[in-house]
Amino acid sequence: MNSQQEFVLRTVEERDIHFIRLWFTDILGSLKSVVMSPSELESAFDEGVGFDGSSVEGFSRISESDTIALPDPSTFQIMPADDDDSDLRSARMFCDIAQPDGQPSMVDPRHILRRQVTSAAHDGFECIVSPEIEFFLLRQSASGADGDPDNLVPTDNGGYFDQASPHAAPRFRRAAMATLEQMGIATEFSHHETAPGQQEIDLRHADVLNAADNIMTFRYLIKHVATLHGVRATFMPKPFPQWQGNGMHTHMSLFEGDSNAFHDPDDEFSLSDTAKQFIAGILAHANELTAVTNQWVNSYKRLMFGAEAPGSATWGVSNRSALVRVPTYRLNKEESRRVEIRSIDSAMNPYLGYAAVLAAGLRGIREGYDLEDAAEDNVHQLTRRERRAMGYKDLPLSLDQALRYLEKSEFMADVLGEHVFEFFLRSKWDEWHAYQEQITAFELRNNLDI
């Protein structure tokens, strides 16, 4: 037993923890959990916890259903107390999923990201990310039936950076940030976003695997705190047609030890060749990876019609209409040099999405991709013909188009692994076909009298 496992066992006893929640995600990013008593924890560290993998979407066939969850003691955190169960404390740990022979499961999203982390480490890099997570707070309208999603409305009418003091939003954000800090998730900023009811909380930079764990915990806790405040939180990419959607702009950099590999003090924008090749890799593979970073039918409503959501594979310096933005804050500060990926939405599976983006950037570095000139225009305002004339490559306009790019991509098949690649495609094609089968209110309004 290693020192981290001993620390967890000692803390569980000293803090009188009653329940241990073991967390992992399925391929689409849904959080899964099994609860165990503290008496079983030492055995779980030694042998893992067996479960039926065939009952988890995409994990295994029924003939290969035996699956093991191995708790990662480095992710141990005590959960915030529920109001009605304040004396029954629980803690959580993320798990790595393994096969009965102890080998890592190729369908575990966390392992897929870890493969890219290891690949980066072989080149001497550590990937550091900082996500800006947007979400809406909603309440039931006065005339709406309780629980009916058609009658949910924003909790306030605030705009960008508004204090919205008469409303619950500032109190909610304070409570949410305090709860996140209790769970060891460091936050940087929180504020009201541009749309009514829309909030943003930015997480402090962390290595990419811990950041993905933090995002999964963030989603769980935000929904939990919202419930305690009598409202509902959603990370849906585009819940309202008239307002912008929920993005998860992610700042990324590669470090070589204590040195930021993206920083070059002699460059006009302090951007190294490594950073430029990393950007070029993301842009070159943007269409292939978009089905993973924007995995829902609804994701493309944000990309097509959302304010400040990129529609083309472009990069720019301080250009918020580009897919990859190079921030110019503190140009001379080495540790601040980073790139911002703006296409990602808040409903992405962070393990698969970050694995795809990191792999694309690393390929750009290894193969020395050339970076085209930066976009200086507001790409949102350009027509399709103007974008094509300027050499800008449009992102997929729908999940249908994104899946067509994905299924032809040997690069993404390698990143995800054969089983996840095939399951993801099959599952998402099913989603698209189910969406196509609908007869919408728009069609009935415009076609019923034909």
Side-chain angles (χ1 to χ4, degrees):
M1 182 167 294
N2 62 42
S3 59
Q4 286 183 326
Q5 293 169 340
E6 291 174 351
F7 169 79
V8 170
L9 291 170
R10 184 170 62 251
T11 302
V12 166
E13 182 177 359
E14 292 174 351
R15 300 292 297 273
D16 194 26
I17 304 299
H18 287 74
F19 305 105
I20 310 296
R21 306 184 192 184
L22 304 183
W23 284 2
F24 61 94
T25 67
D26 66 13
I27 290 173
L28 299 183
S30 296
L31 186 63
K32 302 295 180 179
S33 176
V34 59
V35 179
M36 63 186 301
S37 66
S39 62
E40 300 298 316
L41 185 53
E42 188 170 354
S43 172
F45 282 141
D46 290 339
E47 301 174 357
V49 175
F51 67 96
D52 178 8
S54 66
S55 295
V56 178
E57 280 292 304
F59 263 35
S60 56
R61 297 174 297 185
I62 195 166
S63 61
E64 303 166 339
S65 60
D66 290 343
T67 312
I68 298 172
L70 298 168
D72 180 349
S74 70
T75 65
F76 175 84
Q77 288 289 346
I78 297 174
M79 299 289 292
D82 295 331
D83 285 352
D84 55 349
D85 288 320
S86 57
D87 294 331
L88 298 177
R89 302 305 302 274
S90 63
R92 74 95 166 96
M93 282 181 285
F94 280 96
C95 293
D96 295 310
I97 307 303
Q99 299 169 346
D101 62 2
Q103 293 298 310
S105 171
M106 295 297 105
V107 302
D108 177 13
R110 203 165 183 259
H111 176 67
I112 289 170
L113 177 54
R114 183 180 279 110
R115 284 208 312 263
Q116 295 305 320
V117 170
T118 301
S119 177
H122 286 161
D123 292 346
F125 297 126
E126 180 185 21
C127 181
I128 303 296
V129 305
S130 174
E132 302 173 351
I133 310 176
E134 295 174 345
F135 57 95
F136 278 90
L137 290 181
L138 308 174
R139 61 174 176 81
Q140 205 74 40
S141 67
S143 59
D146 189 35
D148 184 352
D150 290 334
N151 290 298
L152 290 171
V153 296
T155 54
D156 61 74
N157 292 315
Y160 189 64
F161 269 38
D162 278 359
Q163 174 63 18
S165 56
H167 305 289
R171 294 192 297 276
F172 168 86
R173 292 198 302 271
R174 288 196 299 270
M177 291 179 75
T179 303
L180 291 165
E181 295 283 350
Q182 287 179 34
M183 287 285 292
I185 298 176
T187 60
E188 289 190 331
F189 307 105
S190 77
H191 61 85
H192 201 289
E193 258 296 342
T194 59
Q198 190 179 38
Q199 320 297 322
E200 176 178 306
I201 298 179
D202 302 346
L203 304 188
R204 190 170 299 164
H205 60 269
D207 71 87
V208 66
L209 185 58
N210 280 329
D213 289 341
N214 288 343
I215 291 167
M216 295 305 305
T217 306
F218 179 98
R219 290 178 185 163
Y220 173 87
L221 291 177
I222 290 297
K223 289 179 177 289
H224 171 74
V225 175
T227 299
L228 295 180
H229 281 70
V231 295
R232 181 172 177 177
T234 180
F235 298 93
M236 182 177 177
K238 192 78 163 65
F240 300 103
Q242 68 271 43
W243 297 311
Q244 73 171 42
N246 288 322
M248 189 166 68
H249 303 157
T250 298
H251 298 257
M252 303 186 76
S253 54
L254 297 180
F255 275 74
E256 296 174 295
D258 294 330
S259 176
N260 188 341
F262 281 4
H263 183 72
D264 180 357
D266 297 325
D267 182 75
E268 180 183 4
F269 301 109
S270 300
L271 206 62
S272 70
D273 289 341
T274 296
K276 294 173 183 177
Q277 292 165 348
F278 189 87
I279 296 171
I282 293 172
L283 299 183
H285 297 286
N287 284 356
E288 301 163 67
L289 58 84
T290 294
V292 177
T293 57
N294 307 83
Q295 67 165 326
W296 305 102
V297 165
N298 182 255
S299 298
Y300 297 84
K301 306 292 178 68
R302 170 182 168 262
L303 289 181
M304 289 180 66
F305 307 111
E308 295 190 0
S312 301
T314 57
W315 78 283
V317 178
S318 296
N319 187 341
R320 282 178 164 79
S321 69
L323 189 156
V324 181
R325 183 179 80 96
V326 177
T328 55
Y329 310 119
R330 300 181 293 276
L331 280 178
N332 296 323
K333 190 176 181 181
E334 177 182 335
E335 57 266 33
S336 295
R337 192 56 40 239
R338 62 197 186 275
V339 300
E340 179 187 11
I341 318 302
R342 297 179 61 83
S343 59
I344 297 170
D345 62 45
S346 294
M348 175 187 79
N349 180 336
Y351 301 104
L352 298 188
Y354 283 159
V357 173
L358 176 56
L362 290 174
R363 174 171 280 201
I365 294 170
R366 289 167 183 155
E367 300 189 8
Y369 285 11
D370 291 325
L371 185 62
E372 300 293 333
D373 292 338
E376 298 180 354
D377 310 274
N378 184 339
V379 183
H380 298 304
Q381 296 179 350
L382 299 176
T383 67
R384 183 171 182 269
R385 181 177 296 177
E386 288 171 334
R387 291 194 301 272
R388 293 184 66 180
M390 300 178 78
Y392 299 158
K393 179 176 64 177
D394 281 348
L395 294 177
L397 299 177
S398 65
L399 182 61
D400 172 36
Q401 288 188 9
L403 292 174
R404 294 181 191 279
Y405 282 111
L406 177 63
E407 67 184 358
K408 296 176 182 177
S409 174
E410 294 182 7
F411 163 71
M412 285 301 298
D414 181 63
V415 171
L416 298 178
E418 180 181 357
H419 183 99
V420 171
F421 183 74
E422 293 297 334
F423 173 83
F424 188 91
L425 280 169
R426 186 166 61 251
S427 174
K428 288 300 167 180
W429 276 125
D430 287 345
E431 179 185 345
W432 175 252
H433 293 149
Y435 175 72
Q436 283 185 304
E437 289 174 359
Q438 294 183 99
I439 307 301
T440 66
F442 175 90
E443 293 168 278
L444 293 172
R445 283 196 306 268
N446 289 277
N447 302 140
L448 197 60
D449 291 333
I450 292 177

